[in-house]
Amino acid sequence: MTSAPLAARLSIPSGPLFFPVTAFGPDGSVDLDTYRRHVREGVDAGAAAVFACCGTGEFHALTPEEFRDCVAAAVEVTEGRVPVVAGAGYGTALALHFARLAQDAGADGLLAMPPYLVFAAQEGLIRHFTALAEATPLDVVVYQRDNAVLTPETVVELARHPRIIGFKDGLGDLDLMQRTVSAVRAAGLEDVLYFNGLPTAELTSLAYRGIGVLLYSSAVFAFAPDIALAFHRALNTGDDVTANRLLDGFYRPLVELRARGKGYAVSLVKAGVRMRGLDVGHVRSPLHEPPDEHIEELARLVRQGRKLIAETATAATGASW
């Protein structure tokens, strides 16, 4: 395990942030061997961090014991090569329990997901996320989405906590995000990390880059790491031609397919992992599996994405002569 601070390790854009799915066996129980393989393959492919048991990993569907075992398995197979960040959610009492389980399992940090169900006022959200940050020595990234939408002033207050190192946006309000970044910067808090946490974050990554949000979740990396890596390289080298080709030919159609089913931000990704030949099982209820025609459309899009990468590589080789 490295002793380098989590913020320093996450701020290096060496590869996509990997959100593995949680593998289930034929009887519906957690399949830790397959999960270990999935995580190991992602790290070997170039992931910069593993976010275990978060949204894509069906945190909502895991028992505390399953959560602990999956986080421990991720820590085991990464061997300190990249940080492991574990999800923590529900009401404050349960979120603290999951945080302590993650600490015991060896996680490097926490992704603090919205509290369960309730729409709380800003002072309640501050209490919730502060309590989570104080429950363990682990650094925390606060996740804004759904019923946990934070004002810029709230983010400034949370960012003053020494263990709250980042802010992940799953809302998609660029005006609010710009005002948040500006308020935090004006408060002299220059080291806060910002993450684009929309379901297919690559689609909006160019816009987020314009306001200084350079880190993003990559669900695509779980089932098409070559496409995700090609886009990540293009984004971080300023190759907007390649980035836009992939946006137009792969990511936009993928988002349109994802919008055709409830819960597809998870179940379609899991189907994509199975499509690669790794049997991670099906999603747990209340999510449902996509129909065959949607999985076939996903396969076609992946082929299209790889064709775009090959064409870009061929054009670049020709241009170098």
Side-chain angles (χ1 to χ4, degrees):
M1 298 290 289
T2 178
S3 61
L6 178 62
R9 300 178 75 191
L10 289 176
S11 64
I12 303 170
S14 59
L17 304 179
F18 177 30
F19 287 68
V21 303
T22 299
F24 300 126
D27 63 353
S29 63
V30 170
D31 181 349
L32 287 175
D33 287 340
T34 301
Y35 181 71
R36 289 187 185 94
R37 179 180 165 189
H38 180 44
V39 173
R40 184 182 297 110
E41 288 178 351
V43 175
D44 290 345
V50 173
F51 282 70
C53 303
C54 296
T56 308
E58 295 182 78
F59 171 81
H60 70 277
L62 300 175
T63 67
E65 295 77 17
E66 290 171 331
F67 169 87
R68 177 200 60 213
D69 292 346
C70 286
V71 174
V75 171
E76 173 193 339
V77 299
T78 57
E79 299 178 314
R81 289 183 289 165
V82 300
V84 174
V85 179
Y90 300 118
T92 304
L94 269 177
L96 301 190
H97 180 53
F98 278 97
R100 292 172 182 132
L101 289 174
Q103 178 190 0
D104 292 344
D108 297 285
L110 300 170
L111 178 63
M113 292 182 284
Y116 172 71
L117 191 61
V118 295
F119 285 81
Q122 295 296 297
E123 54 264 40
L125 293 171
I126 290 170
R127 288 178 58 204
H128 174 78
F129 290 123
T130 299
L132 190 55
E134 293 179 350
T136 75
L138 300 179
D139 288 333
V140 176
V141 175
V142 172
Y143 191 2
Q144 165 175 275
R145 58 176 293 167
D146 301 324
N147 61 322
V149 177
L150 308 179
T151 66
E153 294 76 18
T154 292
V155 177
V156 169
E157 182 166 348
L158 290 172
R160 295 188 191 280
H161 194 289
R163 282 194 292 277
I164 296 180
I165 64 167
F167 180 68
K168 181 179 178 182
D169 179 50
L171 183 66
D173 184 335
L174 286 174
D175 176 84
L176 176 60
M177 196 63 186
Q178 176 65 85
R179 288 187 288 113
T180 297
V181 172
S182 176
V184 172
R185 185 170 56 234
L189 301 168
E190 300 287 347
D191 296 329
V192 176
L193 299 178
Y194 298 100
F195 302 76
N196 174 356
L198 291 173
T200 304
E202 286 92 341
L203 188 71
T204 53
S205 57
L206 290 174
Y208 272 83
R209 185 180 68 179
I211 59 173
V213 180
L214 304 180
L215 299 169
Y216 62 90
S217 310
S218 180
V220 169
F221 186 82
F223 65 89
D226 50 340
I227 298 174
L229 284 163
F231 183 86
H232 187 270
R233 282 193 299 269
L235 187 68
N236 284 282
T237 59
D239 181 3
D240 288 355
V241 172
T242 297
N244 282 322
R245 281 172 60 85
L246 287 170
L247 286 173
D248 296 346
F250 174 76
Y251 283 103
R252 178 181 54 79
L254 175 64
V255 169
E256 291 169 351
L257 173 61
R258 192 195 69 216
R260 292 166 67 184
K262 295 287 188 183
Y264 273 18
V266 178
S267 60
L268 198 67
V269 172
K270 205 161 195 179
V273 178
R274 293 196 305 271
M275 198 169 63
R276 293 188 67 216
L278 186 62
D279 187 2
V280 291
H282 290 179
V283 291
R284 284 180 172 174
S285 61
L287 297 179
H288 71 282
E289 290 298 312
D292 289 345
E293 58 266 29
H294 289 177
I295 296 175
E296 291 166 4
E297 178 66 11
L298 177 63
R300 188 194 68 77
L301 287 175
V302 170
R303 290 193 298 271
Q304 172 68 10
R306 288 177 176 148
K307 180 181 177 183
L308 290 168
I309 294 171
E311 290 173 350
T312 301
T314 299
T317 300
S320 67
W321 283 92

